[in-house]
Amino acid sequence: MADTQQKTPKGMVWIQQWGPLRHASNVAFACLEAAKIADSRVDKEKYYQFAVNQIHYALGDTGRSFVVGYGTNPPQRPHHRSSSCPTNPGESCGWDDYNQSGPNPSTLWGALVGGPGSDDSYTDYRGDYIKNEVACDYNAGFQSALAGLRTLALDGSLPGLNGSSC
């Protein structure tokens, strides 16, 4: 998949429109695991670099972050009803709160949104449940890949660091 799967113009591996960053993160994690196979046919450096590229895409290397509360121009309006409710527990929450156009009152720190289209287009719009949805399965592969990359960085095996930290 690292070589043959379609990619967006900015380099995210493209599998389907629903949660494309979930898929990119899961493939990144799978590549990190595949790189552990002791076989001369496995190009671990290629898999490491592929994983780095996919996670860096999500974190904002292309000009915007897709992780709520992190990086440059992160999503502020994820498709998540309770985070769009008022922060005061004494206030009721209804569809008017969800449908307001401003940022969500509560920040879902670290939540990965679904991600851009196949052309890298993205609008931070709460009503776009395809591109702006957040979900546990979106974060599972993302967090796993981050942990794997952090482990490689601590071991000094992460490509492109040249002694710097991750």
Side-chain angles (χ1 to χ4, degrees):
M1 199 169 266
D3 292 327
T4 59
Q5 186 64 32
Q6 175 187 346
K7 292 182 180 68
T8 67
K10 293 183 179 178
M12 180 186 69
V13 65
W14 181 260
I15 296 173
Q16 69 169 23
Q17 72 174 1
W18 288 90
L21 281 169
R22 158 191 47 183
H23 299 300
S25 297
N26 282 330
V27 173
F29 179 58
C31 283
L32 291 173
E33 290 301 300
K36 295 177 183 177
I37 297 171
D39 186 311
S40 62
R41 295 172 293 176
V42 174
D43 185 347
K44 75 177 187 177
E45 294 304 318
K46 176 178 72 175
Y47 287 161
Y48 287 171
Q49 191 60 58
F50 177 83
V52 166
N53 293 346
Q54 297 308 299
I55 298 306
H56 281 197
Y57 184 106
L59 293 173
D61 275 11
T62 62
R64 80 157 312 127
S65 171
F66 294 95
V67 179
V68 178
Y70 178 84
T72 301
N73 194 21
Q76 297 180 354
R77 296 164 190 84
H79 182 81
H80 186 267
R81 185 170 179 195
S82 66
S83 72
S84 61
C85 290
T87 56
N88 181 344
E91 293 181 50
S92 64
C93 181
W95 285 110
D96 288 342
D97 296 301
Y98 177 83
N99 291 320
Q100 61 91 12
S101 62
N104 291 12
S106 296
T107 302
L108 293 171
W109 299 101
L112 180 71
V113 297
S118 61
D119 60 355
D120 294 304
S121 65
Y122 175 80
T123 302
D124 187 13
Y125 171 61
R126 188 178 302 108
D128 186 347
Y129 50 86
I130 294 175
K131 293 181 179 177
N132 235 25
E133 178 81 272
V134 294
C136 293
D137 64 315
Y138 288 19
N139 267 70
F142 177 66
Q143 296 297 327
S144 297
L146 283 173
L149 292 173
R150 180 69 177 142
T151 299
L152 289 174
L154 291 172
D155 291 346
S157 304
L158 191 63
L161 281 184
N162 299 326
S164 62
S165 64
C166 176

